[in-house]
Amino acid sequence: MVYTVRPMTENDISQVSRIERDAFPPPWPATNFKRELRYNTLSHYFVACEDALERKDATAKINSSGSSKKSLNDRIKAFINRMLANQTLEASQDEKVLGFAGLWFMADEAHLANIAVRLDRRREGIGELLLIAVIDLAIERQARFFTLEVRASNKEAQALYGKFGLIEVGTRRGYYMDNKEDAVIMTADNITSQSYIDGIRQLKQAHAA
Ligand SMILES: CC(C)(COP(=O)(O)OP(=O)(O)OC[C@H]1O[C@@H](n2cnc3c(N)ncnc32)[C@H](O)[C@@H]1OP(=O)(O)O)[C@@H](O)C(=O)NCCC(=O)NCCS
């Protein structure tokens, strides 16, 4: 299966909102994606998609590049270049959005605002692909920390973050308004260090394989 990660556009909002509603059902407040995309210059939203055309020539792509690893790295690199060039991309009508992630930059911190994958497409590596993309962007932007809050009960997400070197550094008591659940604060420090970059490279290779 071939997935693409690219910046979210307004054309993606209806699919992304459905994924968000399934992942964070009310009373969790829905993100105003239009406002985020149009006006929040500190935020960057991305989607992972399955493209009908990509699906068709997936085998050819893997064969011609010699390995799926090269193709994945190339796609992530191309995505970051588009982000840095601040290009607006139009969503293809053939694309099915499988997941999304939002990243905020604040001073030397890259903060994961949210990440979610379609209910019926979890455990296929899509969450990991999105996390690779946002961490790559944080590294490109020379952020020092990569940080986030996650519900204390959300062990699946904590396992994902732990895999990418984020460690628990504290707790916000009663952070979640709906049930007063604690938030665990997780951080990866010094993400531009060679050792962290090497670790991410290994994870990318394992993911591609
Ligand atoms: C968290 C979430 C984004 C993970 O997405 P995903 O595409 O299913 O995850 P992946 O298939 O890429 O899994 C990557 C890693 O995450 C961890 N993980 C994901 N789902 C897991 C589960 N059900 N149980 C245990 N670990 C899990 C594992 O470490 C896994 O690595 P592995 O396959 O080597 O074991 C997805 O479960 C989701 O959308 N949850 C609802 C929204 C949410 O809670 N977001 C986080 C808010 S802080």
Side-chain angles (χ1 to χ4, degrees), residues 164-205:
F164 284 77
L166 279 91
I167 54 167
E168 193 177 326
V169 291
T171 304
R172 293 193 206 286
R173 297 261 168 239
Y175 180 77
Y176 294 98
M177 311 261 274
D178 56 340
N179 61 355
K180 300 276 180 286
E181 186 172 351
D182 293 346
V184 175
I185 307 165
M186 296 184 78
T187 298
D189 192 2
N190 214 359
I191 58 172
T192 52
S193 67
Q194 199 52 50
S195 61
Y196 189 78
I197 291 171
D198 288 346
I200 294 295
R201 187 177 304 128
Q202 279 173 17
L203 285 163
K204 278 188 208 170
Q205 286 170 356

Side-chain angles (χ1 to χ4, degrees), residues 23-24 115-117 122-128 149-150 154 156-157 159-161 163:
F24 311 106
I115 182 168
V117 172
R122 291 189 186 161
R123 305 260 32 198
E124 291 182 26
I126 298 161
E128 203 169 319
E149 283 100 13
V150 54
N154 193 346
E156 298 83 8
L160 169 64
Y161 305 140
K163 197 169 168 181

